[in-house]
Amino acid sequence: MSLPEPSRTDPLKPASRKRGRLKVFLGMSPGVGKTYEMLRAARRRKAEGDDVVVGVVETHGRRETESLLRGLEVMARQPIDYKSRTLMEFDIDGALARRPGLLLVDEYAHSNVPGSRHPKRWQDVEEILAAGVDVWTTLNVQHLESLSDVVLRITGVRQRETVPDGVLSKADDIEVIDITPEELRKRLAEGKVYVPETARLASENFFKVENLTALREMALRRAAQTVDDHLVATLREKGVQGPWAAGERIVVLIGGDGMAAELVRTGRRLSDMMMDAPWTVAHVDRPSASSSGAARAARLAEALKLAEQLGARTVVLSGDDVVRAVMDYAHQNNVTQIVLGKRRDNRLRELLGRSLAAELLRMSRGVAIHIVTDRAVEAAEPPARRPLKATDLAGYAIGVGFVGIATALALALDQSFERVDLGVVYLSAVLAAGVLYGLRPALAAATAAFLVYNFLFLQPRYSFAIGSPTDILTLLVFWAVALVTGYLAGRVKEQARRAQRRASAVSALLAASQTLTDADGVTETARVLAEQTAAAAGAKAVVLLPQGDDLTLAASAPHAETLGSAAMAAARWAWEHGEPAGHGTGTLPNTPWTFRPLQGVRGRAGVAGVEAEALAPGSDEERLAIALLDQGAVALERARLAGEAVETESLRRADRFRGALMNSVSHDLRTPLSTVLGASTTLIDYGDTLKPEVRDDLMLSIREEAERLNRYVGDLLDMTRLEGGGLNVRSDWVDVRDVLNAAAQRVSRRLENRRTTRDFPAQLSLVMLDQGLLEQAVVNILENAIAYSPDGSTIELAAYEDRGSVVISIEDEGKGIPTAELERVFDKFRRMEEPTDRSKGAGLGLAISKGFVEAMGGRIAAASPIVDGHGTRILISLPKAIATHRDLL
């Protein structure tokens, strides 16, 4: 027997394939004709010459549907035994082996029989699509996971078989099979959907007109949503700028004023009126603007939280040009509606068309603008005033000091030179005050410089009176330039401060993320989180973790803390309800700590507390601390899951190996010992009375069982060497044909009625390896093949080479290995079935072979079935090396 080309059958070299296309025939309920339409379309594709195969189709006894199967290739189903019954399921392995151009797989949401490769049919379809096969399937809208609760409320029926929404979203094509509820009920009455008695009950329950109408609406809307998502993705990929009015998308623009909550509710109502259109609440953060007050920041945070509660997506944009930031976002996300509020603007800004509403109307090409006016005529909210601090007074004093220095320099220059522009000297003082201390000190310095320059250097001197019109113009220009220069310098200073704060926050988050990632274990992660939070907040911080039915203090910083009963009560509330508690909240506000739940991806990981009044609401410090706590929650969850996974895996391995070892010791080792003991006892007690042929048979049994016992002990020792790292590889140039011949000779006595064939080329490259280890690996594989091959079968040994390796192939004619078990065939103590050889092994042979081959730098793999659903092939790939003449000598 000649071997096939390695590039086509070698599992060591899998080929990558392009993903197949998925088309879903979507309906509102059973009986609308999804399967019927799918088969009609498939017959058209078949007539056009395409390779169409029916993987599985449920006709439910409908003659019209069954007639469409004629002329189409229908795959046989796979029998699966379950609870003393044989059930027929879709044969995924047969479909992968057949690999048609188009495969029909009915009932996408079907649950497979326990024992199948995948629990759900949609998972079978995913594997087939990954193999490059196009698939058509059918689905009822009530089987979507996100709609299961809605369908339950409408119809009173809980759908047990569901499909994740994301799977349908990835479908390349969706065809809605739609009929009116009246027509479907007519088909139901005519017996085209169910048998008469079942149809009557269904008509009175699930198939009510109101139920079918609601399901029909959901099917149409879900298909439209998927098509809209595909449109957005396609146009983004092609770089086409939006908006594309295929579906409504709403953005509500809010600030920190009193209209924020009202705008959010308006956006929710607008979304409802537009058939639950997707909507987003956006806020534009201006880096150059001065920090807003605590009240505005708190209102903004409450409005964003309200938006999330009402089902909106929230986003914070950044940019000094608010209009440009909003319109860029709108064009990138296919926004068709923008909602914003309008308070009483400055009359001059309105006349000049410089209000936010006017500028958006001017820039919004293709986007509708909804302007919500303030219902109550309220007084304008006064700007937040920061109380003066010692550093502010120092800035004013130093600014005036710069003017004094400039005055002294100007007096010296005025006495030394006849004509000199002294205004530039004062302008330098204003600029220095603005760069060093910001806007307000710069404005104060500009005013002082104006007064001093007028008093000392303009005629009449030593008076604030101005004698010349030219001097008036000079003073006005100087004052304007001084004010503008101070304003710009102060603005640059403020922007630099904000940028520095943002950079510091980002650096702190990156450092905290790295530190949390490097933390080992839950306790260490909690300690790091407490330290990072305390540093960000500038106050004490604690982290509490669940232990049993209560919370325990796991870490605190900057030093050990103890919590009183009131603080623990607030922490327990935050843990149980998932809401902040303690100081500054609506729950136990008198507690001297503020506690926040640490919400991970799967659930709450613990609770973190910060000392009261440490964080101002809406401040940069609060945002940084919250971001740190979010990172810490994920890190704690990851550390806990990692610890549980290690513990679970250790217990699982220990239990598996303990059971396997006990089975090996109690059965595989005791069986040959019992045979040896029985035969030797018989020879001792009755040796003189036994016939010569009986004595010879007993002696042969003793030898065979002793050899078998020796092999088991040798396997256990080899496995100990592999796992303990004590394997010593002694490499030399070897011809694998010699190794195969030697291994075949070693097992020749165990072949009995089986035979071996050898297929070696005349020339074969040498490989650098340990001949003893390779020979033992081949012997183990041959013994496994003998044990699982029937009498009279053939075991083939072959060798060939490709560009980079020499490949050994050992093939038997046994029952074969199920595809799902191929990856586990090299596990320790693993047996696929009861071997045909009575001297079965301990299940270590292939595991040892794998360890030996990989220790020499090779690879090993199994393939099955080989011919007619039977046979197993073990392939060993050994890397070739170039041998020099000196090496061979």
Side-chain angles (χ1 to χ4, degrees):
M1 179 187 295
S2 61
L3 291 174
E5 288 294 327
S7 61
R8 295 177 60 88
T9 61
D10 191 349
L12 299 172
K13 301 176 182 179
S16 59
R17 295 182 177 86
K18 184 179 178 181
R19 178 180 172 85
R21 292 180 60 83
L22 174 64
K23 180 175 181 178
V24 178
F25 290 80
L26 182 66
M28 63 179 177
S29 71
V32 298
K34 302 179 300 299
T35 305
Y36 185 85
E37 291 297 328
M38 180 176 70
L39 289 174
R40 287 185 58 189
R43 291 179 67 87
R44 291 194 294 269
R45 290 282 296 269
K46 179 74 173 179
E48 294 171 359
D50 292 342
D51 182 19
V52 180
V53 172
V54 177
V56 58
V57 161
E58 302 292 348
T59 63
H60 299 289
R62 300 166 188 154
R63 290 191 299 273
E64 297 88 346
T65 305
E66 291 175 351
S67 65
L68 293 177
L69 289 173
R70 299 192 189 103
L72 294 176
E73 178 183 347
V74 181
M75 290 179 48
R77 301 198 187 185
Q78 180 184 11
I80 297 180
D81 295 331
Y82 178 66
K83 292 185 177 180
S84 303
R85 297 173 57 194
T86 300
L87 303 177
M88 308 302 291
E89 283 287 4
F90 169 55
D91 186 3
I92 182 174
D93 290 322
L96 292 173
R98 173 63 174 80
R99 201 175 300 280
L102 173 62
L103 183 69
L104 308 185
V105 182
D106 203 8
E107 297 188 356
Y108 197 35
H110 172 76
S111 296
N112 293 329
V113 175
S116 303
R117 182 184 307 179
H118 302 298
K120 296 288 187 179
R121 184 168 290 170
W122 67 264
Q123 294 173 313
D124 295 338
V125 171
E126 283 296 304
E127 183 173 346
I128 294 171
L129 291 171
V133 179
D134 293 346
V135 177
W136 286 2
T137 187
T138 62
L139 178 69
N140 290 324
V141 70
Q142 66 263 30
H143 292 296
L144 287 175
E145 180 67 40
S146 65
L147 300 179
S148 59
D149 292 338
V150 180
V151 173
L152 174 63
R153 290 194 297 269
I154 293 173
T155 65
V157 178
R158 167 71 70 180
Q159 298 297 326
R160 302 298 179 185
E161 296 181 329
T162 58
V163 171
D165 292 53
V167 177
L168 181 62
S169 298
K170 293 190 296 184
D172 300 281
D173 299 294
I174 293 181
E175 182 173 335
V176 180
I177 310 302
D178 181 48
I179 62 176
T180 64
E182 291 76 11
E183 184 179 354
L184 179 56
R185 286 174 58 84
K186 180 180 177 182
R187 295 187 61 189
L188 189 68
E190 293 173 351
K192 295 181 178 180
V193 180
Y194 298 128
V195 297
E197 181 60 25
T198 304
R200 184 185 63 79
L201 295 175
S203 177
E204 296 173 356
N205 295 280
F206 184 86
F207 285 81
K208 295 178 181 179
V209 174
E210 57 271 24
N211 292 353
L212 296 177
T213 303
L215 293 173
R216 185 186 188 192
E217 179 185 356
M218 285 192 290
L220 294 174
R221 290 175 60 180
R222 189 61 180 84
Q225 180 181 344
T226 303
V227 172
D228 184 65
D229 292 341
H230 287 179
L231 171 66
V232 174
T234 301
L235 294 181
R236 279 184 182 175
E237 181 180 352
K238 295 183 179 299
V240 180
Q241 186 133 30
W244 317 290
E248 300 296 338
R249 295 175 184 269
I250 304 168
V251 162
V252 180
L253 187 62
I254 66 171
D257 54 19
M259 294 187 66
E262 180 183 354
L263 288 172
V264 170
R265 296 187 180 95
T266 302
R268 173 72 263 184
R269 292 194 298 271
L270 188 61
S271 173
D272 290 339
M273 288 188 292
M274 296 181 178
M275 297 180 65
D276 199 18
W279 63 300
T280 302
V281 175
H283 169 70
V284 180
D285 186 12
R286 300 175 60 191
S288 62
S290 58
S291 57
S292 59
R296 294 179 62 87
R299 280 196 297 267
L300 177 62
E302 291 176 0
L304 293 175
K305 184 177 181 180
L306 175 63
E308 293 177 350
Q309 293 173 348
L310 295 180
R313 177 174 175 262
T314 59
V315 61
V316 177
L317 308 176
S318 180
D320 286 325
D321 189 340
V322 176
V323 176
R324 175 57 57 189
V326 173
M327 295 312 302
D328 286 346
Y329 178 83
H331 292 155
Q332 293 169 3
N333 293 273
N334 197 25
V335 173
T336 59
Q337 311 275 343
I338 297 179
V339 180
L340 72 153
K342 182 178 182 298
R343 299 176 68 92
R344 185 180 295 275
D345 284 329
N346 181 281
R347 184 57 59 93
L348 179 61
R349 288 178 58 86
E350 290 186 353
L351 292 176
L352 296 176
R354 299 299 298 172
S355 66
L356 177 60
E359 293 184 16
L360 277 175
L361 283 171
R362 189 166 49 251
M363 296 280 294
S364 59
R365 295 181 177 87
V367 180
I369 304 296
H370 298 263
I371 300 177
V372 181
T373 57
D374 196 2
R375 297 179 180 178
V377 180
E378 300 175 355
E381 181 180 346
R385 296 185 179 275
R386 184 170 55 88
L388 289 176
K389 299 180 181 179
T391 54
D392 298 328
L393 297 176
Y396 290 120
I398 294 177
V400 174
F402 285 158
V403 174
I405 295 174
T407 300
L409 180 60
L411 289 173
L413 293 174
D414 186 57
Q415 294 176 1
S416 302
F417 302 96
E418 291 184 1
R419 298 182 61 85
V420 62
D421 189 359
L422 301 179
V424 176
V425 178
Y426 284 99
L427 191 61
S428 301
V430 174
L431 182 62
V435 170
L436 295 178
Y437 293 98
L439 174 61
R440 293 179 180 179
L443 295 178
T447 303
F450 165 71
L451 296 174
V452 173
Y453 184 58
N454 178 30
F455 185 80
L456 294 178
F457 298 105
L458 293 182
Q459 296 296 334
R461 291 194 173 194
Y462 312 115
S463 171
F464 290 107
I466 301 175
S468 172
T470 304
D471 292 338
I472 294 176
L473 180 61
T474 301
L475 276 176
L476 292 176
V477 171
F478 164 71
W479 200 7
V481 172
L483 290 174
V484 171
T485 304
Y487 170 76
L488 293 177
R491 183 173 178 180
V492 170
K493 182 70 174 178
E494 183 65 23
Q495 289 182 358
R497 289 175 179 173
R498 289 174 62 88
Q500 184 177 6
R501 287 197 299 269
R502 291 176 181 270
S504 300
V506 172
S507 300
L509 285 175
L510 289 175
S513 177
Q514 183 63 41
T515 307
L516 289 169
T517 302
D518 295 339
D520 185 15
V522 176
T523 303
E524 179 67 14
T525 303
R527 182 188 64 79
V528 171
L529 177 59
E531 292 175 352
Q532 295 290 338
T533 305
K540 301 175 183 177
V542 295
V543 174
L544 299 94
L545 299 179
Q547 186 173 8
D549 297 331
D550 200 3
L551 288 174
T552 59
L553 183 63
S556 60
H559 47 74
E561 290 289 334
T562 56
L563 299 178
S565 58
M568 287 301 300
R572 293 188 184 98
W573 173 274
W575 167 254
E576 294 171 359
H577 296 83
E579 299 176 356
H583 180 81
T585 70
T587 304
L588 301 174
N590 295 327
T591 305
W593 292 83
T594 301
F595 293 97
R596 294 180 178 273
L598 298 174
Q599 185 66 40
V601 177
R602 296 187 177 183
R604 286 188 285 278
V607 173
V610 179
E611 192 178 26
E613 300 181 358
L615 300 175
S619 64
D620 292 339
E621 291 78 10
E622 184 190 40
R623 289 194 289 268
L624 175 59
I626 292 175
L628 282 173
L629 294 180
D630 290 340
Q631 285 190 349
V634 176
L636 283 171
E637 186 178 59
R638 183 175 61 245
R640 189 187 74 249
L641 291 175
E644 292 177 355
V646 170
E647 183 179 357
T648 301
E649 181 64 16
S650 299
L651 292 174
R652 187 182 66 83
R653 288 185 176 183
D655 184 69
R656 186 182 65 183
F657 283 118
R658 180 169 58 252
L661 187 59
M662 290 300 297
N663 176 70
S664 179
V665 172
S666 63
H667 188 271
D668 297 330
L669 296 182
R670 291 182 62 183
T671 298
L673 284 175
S674 299
T675 303
V676 171
L677 182 60
S680 59
T681 301
T682 301
L683 287 173
I684 293 173
D685 295 340
Y686 307 102
D688 296 337
T689 61
L690 296 175
K691 296 179 180 180
E693 57 273 16
V694 175
R695 286 198 303 271
D696 293 341
D697 184 65
L698 290 174
M699 295 295 292
L700 181 61
S701 297
I702 292 174
R703 187 182 71 176
E704 289 178 350
E705 296 302 325
E707 291 176 349
R708 176 182 169 193
L709 184 60
N710 184 61
R711 287 196 304 272
Y712 292 164
V713 175
D715 286 346
L716 291 173
L717 291 176
D718 287 339
M719 186 55 62
T720 302
R721 291 165 60 198
L722 282 171
E723 295 190 343
L727 190 64
N728 184 20
V729 180
R730 300 177 180 178
S731 299
D732 199 357
W733 292 106
V734 175
D735 188 335
V736 298
R737 295 172 295 182
D738 297 336
V739 176
L740 294 176
N741 289 327
Q745 182 63 33
R746 284 177 57 182
V747 301
S748 59
R749 286 197 305 111
R750 298 194 57 211
L751 288 173
E752 297 180 352
N753 296 329
R754 305 170 187 87
R755 59 184 180 277
T756 62
T757 62
R758 305 174 193 184
D759 184 6
F760 303 153
Q763 298 293 331
L764 194 65
S765 298
L766 300 179
V767 289
M768 178 67 74
L769 48 78
D770 189 316
Q771 181 171 349
L773 294 181
L774 179 60
E775 181 178 326
Q776 185 59 49
V778 173
V779 167
N780 290 350
I781 296 172
L782 288 173
E783 289 180 343
N784 188 79
I786 293 170
Y788 290 91
S789 296
D791 290 341
S793 62
T794 301
I795 300 173
E796 182 184 78
L797 286 78
Y800 57 86
E801 62 180 303
D802 55 22
R803 178 175 298 180
S805 60
V806 173
V807 180
I808 297 173
S809 173
I810 302 173
E811 182 178 325
D812 63 52
E813 297 178 352
K815 186 177 180 180
I817 302 171
T819 304
E821 298 287 346
L822 283 176
E823 295 183 358
R824 305 175 60 188
V825 73
F826 295 103
D827 291 351
K828 295 183 286 294
F829 299 108
R830 184 70 180 172
R831 295 195 186 107
M832 297 299 107
E833 59 185 38
E834 188 70 16
T836 58
D837 194 313
R838 66 184 181 88
S839 58
K840 59 184 179 180
L844 291 173
L846 293 183
I848 293 171
S849 296
K850 182 176 186 294
F852 284 175
V853 170
E854 291 180 348
M856 294 182 290
R859 293 179 297 162
I860 187 170
S864 181
I866 305 302
V867 179
D868 297 331
H870 294 78
T872 300
R873 179 183 298 153
I874 303 296
L875 296 171
I876 300 175
S877 177
L878 302 167
K880 290 195 296 188
I882 300 176
T884 63
H885 178 70
R886 181 176 180 181
D887 293 329
L888 296 176
L889 292 178

